[in-house]
Every structure is written in structure tokens, then in C-alpha cells.
Amino acid sequence: MAGPDRRLVQTAVIGSAASGLGIVLPQGADELRRLRRRHPAYTYWCGTQLGGCGGKLADRLYADKVCHFAHAPNASCHRRANGTDSADHLFVKQDLARWARGGGIDARAVLRDLGSGPGDAVDFRVRAGRQRVRFQFRKLSHPEWSSACEELERDAASLDWVFGPGSAHPETVREMREAFGHVLRFRFETQGVARHVRIRAEEARRSTDWVPLDACAMTPEGLRVPGARRLTGTSRRPVAVEPPPVPSPAAPAPRPAAGADRRSGRRTSPLVRKVQRLVDEVNALAASADADVRTTAERLDREAASWVERYGRLTGPDFWSGKATKTAAQGDGLAGRLEKLARRLE
Ligand SMILES: [Zn+2]
């Protein structure tokens, strides 16, 4: 039995060559007739955001074979991916935009061309909370993944990777499982002329169900997938995470041991680590200082401890309501005062 003809153009963008509105052409004649009736004004393009030539496409209707898009007879096109899944990067961008709007969150999803086209990866960036989520489409070698981590972690409070089919190197999967207990994967489901992303967490021996973005939550510590057990801190004990909107205690921010390695560091917020590092520094410097300075240092130490606890208790809904942003700002202010005292003592 022959598989689908991969050379047939199954996806396009609607409206213009530069459009980001993807569409999957129905393969059956009846569905295509219905689409034409419902949207007579649609124009289809071999979109630049699909890595296409920008040419106009016709929707070819066949009763006896698969319907598909077709270029003008003399067009020259070097688009690499034409199959049903070739607009998935545009669909995840749309899903992410809808998800963020629904949660009242100020975030952006951007396409990343890693050398083979605009569909290599999609980065989701939350502005205020500085969470980052990378949806990886193109296969990455392990060193490529490591260096992408460096890039994405810069100035980020959290970084989550969600891998598409075949995009993660086995070594990367091993490292992710060691650090987080699981690796996040995505796939797509076709619904009419669109496709929608589904996510799950895969441990070595079990996986959660495939769920839409709406079932996931963005927390100060990153993307949470319902049912995923996430390793936290140095205890490596899995912490059960409930799906939103059921309030659930977020994983408490652990106090990392001095010199905690980069891998375990990824599991705590950089802001928490910064505050804890400054408290340690101030405590060391204040040990030999005057009584009034020691009192100030002790007060800041207590304040920091209660802030770290408050930060650790933040949940998904707190993030959406802006409470998390406020708490992060308090942490920033606290870090500033600790830094000032440390400089005075040096
Ligand atoms: Zn083309």
C-alpha cells in the first residue's frame, strides 16, 4: 500500500504571501466543496512563513484522488516541507496566542529559523515573568541543544523544552529526565482545516495523557502539564502537580546547596537563587560588623526567608492574576537592598 504522496502541497497560508494564518487543505472532494462555499473569498499562498516561494496557490479539487494545492504552471519552488504537518509551527503559534490571550498574559510566540526554515522552532516568551518555552520541531544534536539552552536561559526565569516527533537526541532526553523526571513532547491533531497542539510528559516508564494547552498552566517555575511529576530541588522526590484552575501548592522553592550544579539550578528560579546567594554573602560579611549592621542583616535574612516561602507557594492562577509578577518585583527590591548592604560591608 502506497503512503501519502509527500510532494503534494497540503498546506498554505490564507490572504497573502507573508500571512501567518495556516490552513490544511481537506483531502476529500466534499470537504473541499464545503470549504469553498463557506469561504469563497479565501486566497491561498505558498507562504514565506512556510519556507515557500510566496507564489499564489490554487486549491485543486479531485473526485478520484487527494485534493491538494498547486502552483502556477511555470512556478519554481524550493519549499522543503509540503505535507499535512508542514504548517504546524504556524498552528502552535496561533494556539499559544489564543492561550495567552485567554489567560490575560503578556507574551509573544516567535518563529525561529535554525538553518533549515522558519518552522525549525517556536519560542514562547512571557514578558513580565520571563518564562520561556521552546517548541522544538527540527532535530537537534545534543551539543546544539546545550548551546540553545545557554542562549534561551540568558535573562530567563524558567525554560521549558517541548519536543516534536524525532526532534530530541536520546542523550538530550536522558539529561532532561535526569533533571526534571520527564521530557515534554508535542504532537498535533487535525480539526477541520486547522491543527492543534497537544502536550504530554513522558517519564521513562509512564506518560501523561495528551492535553491541549488550555489544560496546562504557566507558573513562575515554568510550564506545568497536568499529571506530570516534576523533580524539584535536591531531594529528587516527584511532586504531584494538579491541572489548573484547581489551586495546588506549587513546588516549594528549595534552598540549593552552595555550588549547586547547573542542572539542579535549572529547577529553581534564578531570582530565588540570587536572593539566597546575597543573603549568604551578607551574613558572612556582617558576622564581624557592628551590632546595628548585624541587626539589619538579620532583618533582611528573615525577610528573604519569608519571601522565598511566599514565592514557592505561588500557583498557576497566581501567575495569571498578576500576583506572581508582584511577588517577583518584591524579590527584586529585596535583592537590591541586600546588594546595597553587601557593597557597604565590603
Ligand atoms: Zn512555492
Side-chain angles (χ1 to χ4, degrees):
M1 200 174 82
D5 187 342
R6 296 225 150 250
R7 291 165 306 173
L8 292 181
V9 182
Q10 299 291 357
T11 64
V13 291
I14 300 168
S16 72
S19 160
L21 197 58
I23 183 168
V24 181
L25 197 70
Q27 302 196 344
D30 288 344
E31 288 95 331
L32 181 49
R33 281 195 198 96
R34 259 201 302 280
L35 174 68
R36 285 176 171 183
R37 270 201 306 275
R38 207 172 302 149
H39 301 286
Y42 272 7
T43 56
Y44 303 115
W45 304 80
C46 184
T48 49
Q49 294 195 48
L50 296 170
C53 62
K56 201 169 179 192
L57 296 172
D59 54 340
R60 289 277 167 77
L61 190 147
Y62 299 96
D64 53 347
K65 55 179 179 178
V66 167
C67 300
H68 58 86
F69 288 112
H71 286 87
N74 53 355
S76 149
C77 182
H78 300 285
R79 182 174 155 188
R80 293 183 193 192
N82 294 300
T84 308
D85 59 356
S86 56
D88 284 353
H89 55 294
L90 298 183
F91 289 125
V92 76
K93 206 179 147 182
Q94 285 165 28
D95 277 356
L96 285 165
R98 206 176 302 119
W99 182 54
R101 261 199 318 276
I105 173 183
D106 185 13
R108 232 165 91 77
V110 291
L111 305 182
R112 296 292 305 271
D113 185 340
L114 308 176
S116 56
D120 285 344
V122 175
D123 284 341
F124 182 68
R125 303 173 192 192
V126 180
R127 276 186 244 268
R130 291 183 292 113
Q131 287 90 343
R132 307 275 184 269
V133 184
R134 156 65 63 93
F135 290 82
Q136 184 65 39
F137 287 78
R138 199 202 83 182
K139 189 180 165 75
L140 285 183
S141 71
H142 191 56
E144 278 177 323
W145 171 77
S146 289
S147 75
C149 278
E150 300 278 336
E151 180 216 320
L152 295 167
E153 277 174 345
R154 215 171 293 147
D155 194 38
S158 72
L159 168 64
D160 287 287
W161 285 81
V162 193
F163 293 100
S167 68
H169 190 275
E171 181 68 15
T172 305
V173 172
R174 198 187 55 76
E175 195 168 318
M176 295 292 288
R177 284 208 177 118
E178 227 168 72
F180 301 109
H182 60 248
V183 56
L184 298 180
R185 304 262 193 195
F186 68 73
R187 72 174 189 192
F188 283 80
E189 280 174 15
T190 306
Q191 286 175 3
V193 295
R195 281 163 62 81
H196 294 286
V197 72
R198 298 286 180 267
I199 299 174
R200 76 174 182 186
E202 295 180 2
E203 294 176 9
R205 281 189 184 78
R206 73 185 268 280
S207 295
T208 63
D209 294 332
W210 291 106
V211 293
L213 271 174
D214 286 339
C216 304
M218 185 57 84
T219 73
E221 302 293 325
L223 182 70
R224 291 290 169 86
V225 175
R229 299 175 295 183
R230 192 183 174 101
L231 298 178
T232 59
T234 47
S235 72
R236 301 223 155 189
R237 255 209 341 257
V239 173
V241 176
E242 299 296 323
V246 182
S248 73
R255 191 176 178 115
D261 68 20
R262 183 168 155 268
R263 202 175 288 159
S264 71
R266 250 184 231 156
R267 276 178 259 128
T268 14
S269 148
L271 186 56
V272 170
R273 293 206 306 277
K274 184 179 176 185
V275 166
Q276 289 172 335
R277 179 178 55 76
L278 285 164
V279 165
D280 289 345
E281 201 179 317
V282 162
N283 283 339
L285 289 166
S288 53
D290 297 338
D292 60 326
V293 174
R294 284 207 307 277
T295 308
T296 307
E298 277 160 20
R299 187 169 47 74
L300 285 173
D301 190 343
R302 279 196 303 276
E303 205 180 313
S306 93
W307 176 79
V308 168
E309 207 187 313
R310 271 205 316 282
Y311 193 89
R313 276 203 305 265
L314 291 173
T315 62
D318 293 333
F319 180 79
W320 300 121
S321 72
K323 185 180 165 192
T325 311
K326 212 172 125 192
T327 309
Q330 289 163 352
D332 261 333
L334 182 59
R337 279 180 289 142
L338 283 161
E339 242 163 2
K340 213 167 135 191
L341 181 60
R343 268 202 308 275
R344 225 181 82 201
L345 289 170
E346 266 164 4

